[in-house]
mmCIF file of all heavy atoms in Angstrom:
data_model
loop_
_atom_site.group_PDB
_atom_site.id
_atom_site.type_symbol
_atom_site.label_atom_id
_atom_site.label_comp_id
_atom_site.label_asym_id
_atom_site.label_seq_id
_atom_site.Cartn_x
_atom_site.Cartn_y
_atom_site.Cartn_z
ATOM 1 N N SER A 1209 18.405 -0.467 8.442
ATOM 2 C CA SER A 1209 17.813 -0.009 9.704
ATOM 3 C C SER A 1209 17.082 1.298 9.486
ATOM 4 O O SER A 1209 17.374 2.043 8.534
ATOM 5 C CB SER A 1209 18.895 0.163 10.775
ATOM 6 O OG SER A 1209 19.712 1.289 10.478
ATOM 7 N N HIS A 1211 15.418 4.703 11.810
ATOM 8 C CA HIS A 1211 15.341 5.360 13.108
ATOM 9 C C HIS A 1211 14.574 6.657 12.973
ATOM 10 O O HIS A 1211 14.829 7.423 12.029
ATOM 11 C CB HIS A 1211 16.747 5.651 13.645
ATOM 12 C CG HIS A 1211 16.731 6.361 14.957
ATOM 13 N ND1 HIS A 1211 16.513 5.695 16.154
ATOM 14 C CD2 HIS A 1211 16.853 7.672 15.263
ATOM 15 C CE1 HIS A 1211 16.533 6.571 17.142
ATOM 16 N NE2 HIS A 1211 16.743 7.768 16.627
ATOM 17 N N ILE A 1216 5.783 10.066 17.786
ATOM 18 C CA ILE A 1216 4.512 10.765 17.976
ATOM 19 C C ILE A 1216 4.829 12.244 18.026
ATOM 20 O O ILE A 1216 5.713 12.671 18.778
ATOM 21 C CB ILE A 1216 3.806 10.317 19.276
ATOM 22 C CG1 ILE A 1216 3.539 8.811 19.230
ATOM 23 C CG2 ILE A 1216 2.503 11.074 19.457
ATOM 24 C CD1 ILE A 1216 3.019 8.240 20.539
ATOM 25 N N LYS A 1218 3.278 16.529 17.407
ATOM 26 C CA LYS A 1218 2.132 17.424 17.321
ATOM 27 C C LYS A 1218 1.969 17.913 15.882
ATOM 28 O O LYS A 1218 2.953 18.024 15.137
ATOM 29 C CB LYS A 1218 2.313 18.628 18.244
ATOM 30 C CG LYS A 1218 2.275 18.279 19.729
ATOM 31 C CD LYS A 1218 2.429 19.537 20.567
ATOM 32 C CE LYS A 1218 2.359 19.212 22.066
ATOM 33 N NZ LYS A 1218 2.514 20.428 22.894
ATOM 34 N N GLU A 1226 15.392 8.365 9.473
ATOM 35 C CA GLU A 1226 16.644 7.935 8.846
ATOM 36 C C GLU A 1226 16.555 6.498 8.358
ATOM 37 O O GLU A 1226 15.957 5.648 9.014
ATOM 38 C CB GLU A 1226 17.798 8.041 9.849
ATOM 39 C CG GLU A 1226 18.191 9.443 10.233
ATOM 40 C CD GLU A 1226 19.430 9.469 11.109
ATOM 41 O OE1 GLU A 1226 19.842 8.392 11.585
ATOM 42 O OE2 GLU A 1226 19.963 10.564 11.320
ATOM 43 N N LEU A 1230 23.326 -1.043 6.592
ATOM 44 C CA LEU A 1230 24.351 -1.263 7.609
ATOM 45 C C LEU A 1230 25.597 -1.964 7.093
ATOM 46 O O LEU A 1230 26.699 -1.725 7.580
ATOM 47 C CB LEU A 1230 23.756 -2.050 8.780
ATOM 48 C CG LEU A 1230 22.628 -1.358 9.546
ATOM 49 C CD1 LEU A 1230 22.194 -2.189 10.744
ATOM 50 C CD2 LEU A 1230 23.037 0.035 9.976
ATOM 51 N N GLN A 1233 26.564 -0.944 0.446
ATOM 52 C CA GLN A 1233 26.355 0.374 -0.119
ATOM 53 C C GLN A 1233 25.132 0.356 -1.020
ATOM 54 O O GLN A 1233 24.938 -0.574 -1.797
ATOM 55 C CB GLN A 1233 27.595 0.804 -0.912
ATOM 56 C CG GLN A 1233 28.806 1.035 -0.032
ATOM 57 C CD GLN A 1233 29.997 1.562 -0.830
ATOM 58 O OE1 GLN A 1233 30.125 1.264 -2.007
ATOM 59 N NE2 GLN A 1233 30.832 2.356 -0.198
ATOM 60 N N TYR A 1240 8.553 4.208 1.069
ATOM 61 C CA TYR A 1240 7.180 3.758 0.910
ATOM 62 C C TYR A 1240 6.350 4.244 2.094
ATOM 63 O O TYR A 1240 6.863 4.495 3.189
ATOM 64 C CB TYR A 1240 7.114 2.218 0.886
ATOM 65 C CG TYR A 1240 7.778 1.551 -0.287
ATOM 66 C CD1 TYR A 1240 9.147 1.292 -0.281
ATOM 67 C CD2 TYR A 1240 7.039 1.143 -1.394
ATOM 68 C CE1 TYR A 1240 9.760 0.657 -1.355
ATOM 69 C CE2 TYR A 1240 7.636 0.498 -2.465
ATOM 70 C CZ TYR A 1240 9.000 0.267 -2.434
ATOM 71 O OH TYR A 1240 9.604 -0.365 -3.492
ATOM 72 N N ARG A 1241 5.046 4.283 1.841
ATOM 73 C CA ARG A 1241 4.097 4.584 2.909
ATOM 74 C C ARG A 1241 3.067 3.461 2.908
ATOM 75 O O ARG A 1241 2.654 2.990 1.836
ATOM 76 C CB ARG A 1241 3.437 5.935 2.657
ATOM 77 C CG ARG A 1241 2.463 6.393 3.722
ATOM 78 C CD ARG A 1241 2.133 7.849 3.562
ATOM 79 N NE ARG A 1241 1.762 8.201 2.213
ATOM 80 C CZ ARG A 1241 1.490 9.441 1.824
ATOM 81 N NH1 ARG A 1241 1.545 10.439 2.694
ATOM 82 N NH2 ARG A 1241 1.136 9.693 0.590
ATOM 83 N N PHE A 1243 -0.569 2.443 4.764
ATOM 84 C CA PHE A 1243 -1.683 2.688 5.672
ATOM 85 C C PHE A 1243 -2.214 1.348 6.162
ATOM 86 O O PHE A 1243 -1.992 0.311 5.517
ATOM 87 C CB PHE A 1243 -2.759 3.507 4.974
ATOM 88 C CG PHE A 1243 -2.322 4.920 4.685
ATOM 89 C CD1 PHE A 1243 -2.000 5.323 3.403
ATOM 90 C CD2 PHE A 1243 -2.221 5.851 5.708
ATOM 91 C CE1 PHE A 1243 -1.586 6.615 3.135
ATOM 92 C CE2 PHE A 1243 -1.800 7.150 5.452
ATOM 93 C CZ PHE A 1243 -1.472 7.530 4.159
ATOM 94 N N LEU A 1248 2.063 -1.446 0.318
ATOM 95 C CA LEU A 1248 3.083 -0.408 0.282
ATOM 96 C C LEU A 1248 2.888 0.449 -0.963
ATOM 97 O O LEU A 1248 2.731 -0.059 -2.067
ATOM 98 C CB LEU A 1248 4.482 -1.030 0.229
ATOM 99 C CG LEU A 1248 5.050 -1.580 1.525
ATOM 100 C CD1 LEU A 1248 4.413 -2.902 1.877
ATOM 101 C CD2 LEU A 1248 6.550 -1.742 1.404
ATOM 102 N N THR A 1253 11.889 7.742 -5.095
ATOM 103 C CA THR A 1253 13.133 7.021 -5.308
ATOM 104 C C THR A 1253 14.283 7.975 -5.037
ATOM 105 O O THR A 1253 14.307 9.088 -5.587
ATOM 106 C CB THR A 1253 13.214 6.503 -6.759
ATOM 107 O OG1 THR A 1253 12.081 5.668 -7.018
ATOM 108 C CG2 THR A 1253 14.488 5.704 -6.972
ATOM 109 N N ASN A 1255 18.319 8.656 -5.061
ATOM 110 C CA ASN A 1255 19.617 8.253 -5.574
ATOM 111 C C ASN A 1255 20.715 9.077 -4.926
ATOM 112 O O ASN A 1255 20.587 10.305 -4.807
ATOM 113 C CB ASN A 1255 19.669 8.423 -7.090
ATOM 114 C CG ASN A 1255 18.784 7.427 -7.800
ATOM 115 O OD1 ASN A 1255 18.989 6.218 -7.725
ATOM 116 N ND2 ASN A 1255 17.770 7.921 -8.481
ATOM 117 N N GLY A 1257 23.467 11.402 -4.075
ATOM 118 C CA GLY A 1257 24.065 12.558 -4.719
ATOM 119 C C GLY A 1257 23.184 13.289 -5.709
ATOM 120 O O GLY A 1257 23.648 14.233 -6.365
ATOM 121 N N THR A 1261 13.311 11.337 -6.943
ATOM 122 C CA THR A 1261 12.216 11.300 -7.913
ATOM 123 C C THR A 1261 10.947 10.914 -7.178
ATOM 124 O O THR A 1261 10.875 9.827 -6.581
ATOM 125 C CB THR A 1261 12.500 10.272 -9.020
ATOM 126 O OG1 THR A 1261 13.736 10.601 -9.650
ATOM 127 C CG2 THR A 1261 11.387 10.286 -10.053
ATOM 128 N N TYR A 1262 9.943 11.769 -7.237
ATOM 129 C CA TYR A 1262 8.720 11.545 -6.492
ATOM 130 C C TYR A 1262 7.642 10.933 -7.377
ATOM 131 O O TYR A 1262 7.532 11.242 -8.567
ATOM 132 C CB TYR A 1262 8.208 12.863 -5.907
ATOM 133 C CG TYR A 1262 9.094 13.409 -4.806
ATOM 134 C CD1 TYR A 1262 10.247 14.131 -5.101
ATOM 135 C CD2 TYR A 1262 8.783 13.182 -3.472
ATOM 136 C CE1 TYR A 1262 11.074 14.605 -4.092
ATOM 137 C CE2 TYR A 1262 9.587 13.660 -2.456
ATOM 138 C CZ TYR A 1262 10.738 14.363 -2.764
ATOM 139 O OH TYR A 1262 11.558 14.834 -1.761
ATOM 140 N N GLY A 1265 1.455 12.575 -7.171
ATOM 141 C CA GLY A 1265 0.602 12.803 -6.011
ATOM 142 C C GLY A 1265 1.360 12.986 -4.712
ATOM 143 O O GLY A 1265 0.736 13.288 -3.690
ATOM 144 N N SER A 1287 5.873 20.010 8.486
ATOM 145 C CA SER A 1287 4.548 20.466 8.904
ATOM 146 C C SER A 1287 3.546 19.311 8.872
ATOM 147 O O SER A 1287 2.550 19.330 8.140
ATOM 148 C CB SER A 1287 4.061 21.605 7.998
ATOM 149 O OG SER A 1287 2.851 22.142 8.489
ATOM 150 N N PRO A 1290 -2.342 15.198 10.924
ATOM 151 C CA PRO A 1290 -2.842 13.856 11.271
ATOM 152 C C PRO A 1290 -2.980 12.911 10.076
ATOM 153 O O PRO A 1290 -2.755 11.703 10.225
ATOM 154 C CB PRO A 1290 -4.199 14.153 11.913
ATOM 155 C CG PRO A 1290 -4.012 15.494 12.544
ATOM 156 C CD PRO A 1290 -3.117 16.258 11.595
ATOM 157 N N ALA A 1303 24.351 -1.695 -4.479
ATOM 158 C CA ALA A 1303 25.077 -1.045 -5.563
ATOM 159 C C ALA A 1303 25.843 -2.081 -6.370
ATOM 160 O O ALA A 1303 26.373 -3.045 -5.822
ATOM 161 C CB ALA A 1303 26.051 -0.017 -4.986
ATOM 162 N N GLY A 1304 25.852 -1.911 -7.672
ATOM 163 C CA GLY A 1304 26.706 -2.727 -8.511
ATOM 164 C C GLY A 1304 26.188 -4.109 -8.836
ATOM 165 O O GLY A 1304 26.917 -4.952 -9.326
ATOM 166 N N TYR A 1307 20.728 -7.666 -10.547
ATOM 167 C CA TYR A 1307 19.402 -8.175 -10.268
ATOM 168 C C TYR A 1307 18.615 -7.161 -9.458
ATOM 169 O O TYR A 1307 19.146 -6.267 -8.842
ATOM 170 C CB TYR A 1307 19.460 -9.524 -9.564
ATOM 171 C CG TYR A 1307 20.219 -9.526 -8.259
ATOM 172 C CD1 TYR A 1307 19.606 -9.213 -7.058
ATOM 173 C CD2 TYR A 1307 21.563 -9.864 -8.235
ATOM 174 C CE1 TYR A 1307 20.300 -9.227 -5.870
ATOM 175 C CE2 TYR A 1307 22.260 -9.887 -7.057
ATOM 176 C CZ TYR A 1307 21.635 -9.575 -5.869
ATOM 177 O OH TYR A 1307 22.330 -9.584 -4.702
ATOM 178 N N GLU A 1309 16.697 -6.451 -6.574
ATOM 179 C CA GLU A 1309 16.316 -6.846 -5.226
ATOM 180 C C GLU A 1309 16.434 -5.668 -4.281
ATOM 181 O O GLU A 1309 17.375 -4.885 -4.349
ATOM 182 C CB GLU A 1309 17.206 -7.991 -4.722
ATOM 183 C CG GLU A 1309 16.804 -8.507 -3.359
ATOM 184 C CD GLU A 1309 17.560 -9.750 -2.953
ATOM 185 O OE1 GLU A 1309 18.383 -10.235 -3.746
ATOM 186 O OE2 GLU A 1309 17.331 -10.231 -1.829
ATOM 187 N N LEU A 1318 4.612 6.654 12.301
ATOM 188 C CA LEU A 1318 4.425 8.073 12.612
ATOM 189 C C LEU A 1318 2.978 8.325 13.010
ATOM 190 O O LEU A 1318 2.065 7.966 12.272
ATOM 191 C CB LEU A 1318 4.784 8.941 11.396
ATOM 192 C CG LEU A 1318 4.428 10.431 11.501
ATOM 193 C CD1 LEU A 1318 5.195 11.104 12.630
ATOM 194 C CD2 LEU A 1318 4.688 11.142 10.173
#
Side-chain angles (χ1 to χ4, degrees):
Chain A
S1209 71
H1211 178 80
I1216 301 172
K1218 292 181 179 180
E1226 291 186 349
L1230 297 184
Q1233 293 184 331
Y1240 294 84
R1241 182 166 49 183
F1243 291 106
L1248 282 76
T1253 302
N1255 291 297
T1261 303
Y1262 291 82
S1287 186
Y1307 58 87
E1309 184 172 358
L1318 171 63

